[in-house]
Every structure is written in structure tokens, then in C-alpha cells.
Amino acid sequence: MSFTYKYPRPAVTADCVVITKEKEPRVLLIERGFEPFKGCWALPGGFMNMDETTEQCAIRELEEETGLRVNDLQQIGAFSKVDRDPRGRTITVAYLIRIDEAVPVTGLDDAAKAAWFPLSTLPPFAFDHADIMAKAIKMM
């Protein structure tokens, strides 16, 4: 027997802020390959599957979009502005991942490119990823 809620349910995503521990820290970003924000830079991440946690989603999406495999992540927080995603009501849980140095990455899946950017020269972000990035930097 299935149950139908009388209230709509938002989508849930997970986003990753991967920052190096180098003298001049860098962050891993992806260039979006599809709309919305096609061609813009964003944090790696995506929609959670029904059979996974947000942590599992973050780890999976990071590998699917960049080829980078990680295990240790720290929750930054939940971001839930009503208009944060033009596709519909979406709440994200963001995670901070610290690695020693930048490693080779490739834009995979729906990411046209993946690249490392110095924290001192970040490009404009898609969605509300500038807000997520600012909170991650405060946590470092």
C-alpha cells in the first residue's frame, strides 16, 4: 500500500567543497554542462537517490563529476533558500572535504570541466554556491 502526502516534497541534493591544504589553498569546481547555469562554475554535487544518505550522495556525485574519490567529509550545513534552484524547490546539504594537494580531475557525467581554483581568485558561482563557499571558508 502506498501513501500519498498532501504536502509537496522538495528535492534533496548534496554539494562538495573540496579545498586543498596547500600554502595557497585551492577549491575544486565544475563547469556545468547543462542548464540551468550551463557554462557556469559550481561546486560538485547533485540529487540524492532514495536509497542513500546525503553523505553517500556527496561522495558519489563528487566521483561521478570529477573522478575524485574521498571518504572523509564534514557537514557544512543545509541550504534552503526557496529560490536557490530554478528547477524547483531544492534543499542541499553541503560538505567540506580537505585534501593535501590538488590531484588530477576530469569533468565527467554532467560536468563539462573540472578544475582547481585558488581561493583568492574564484569565478562567479551558479546557484547559491557563493554562500556555501563562504561558510566553508569560515570553517577552515
Side-chain angles (χ1 to χ4, degrees):
M1 173 183 239
S2 65
F3 182 81
T4 304
Y5 291 92
K6 73 177 192 174
Y7 301 104
R9 291 182 280 168
V12 178
T13 60
D15 290 310
C16 298
V17 181
V18 183
I19 299 177
T20 65
K21 298 176 185 175
E22 298 166 305
K23 184 176 180 179
E24 184 177 352
R26 293 185 273 176
V27 64
L28 177 59
L29 301 177
I30 56 116
E31 181 183 342
R32 290 188 49 80
F34 301 103
E35 294 295 347
F37 300 106
K38 181 178 180 179
C40 294
W41 291 97
L43 299 168
F47 290 94
M48 184 178 74
N49 293 328
M50 293 301 286
D51 64 345
E52 66 186 355
T53 65
T54 56
E55 293 87 355
Q56 291 167 330
C57 175
I59 291 167
R60 175 184 55 78
E61 285 286 345
L62 180 62
E63 184 175 0
E64 285 179 3
E65 292 186 343
T66 70
L68 181 61
R69 288 184 181 180
V70 299
N71 293 315
D72 294 327
L73 44 128
Q74 176 185 3
Q75 191 177 117
I76 298 168
F79 295 79
S80 62
K81 286 183 182 174
V82 173
D83 62 349
R84 65 175 303 277
D85 189 328
R87 294 169 291 191
R89 186 70 174 104
T90 307
I91 297 167
T92 197
V93 179
Y95 291 92
L96 176 61
I97 298 132
R98 298 297 310 269
I99 63 173
D100 290 334
E101 60 189 7
V103 296
V105 290
T106 305
L108 303 167
D109 193 33
D110 56 352
K113 294 178 190 172
W116 294 97
F117 286 81
L119 291 183
S120 59
T121 55
L122 295 174
F125 285 105
F127 304 102
D128 61 349
H129 291 186
D131 296 339
I132 296 170
M133 189 75 225
K135 188 165 182 188
I137 290 170
K138 286 181 183 177
M139 290 178 62
M140 293 177 37

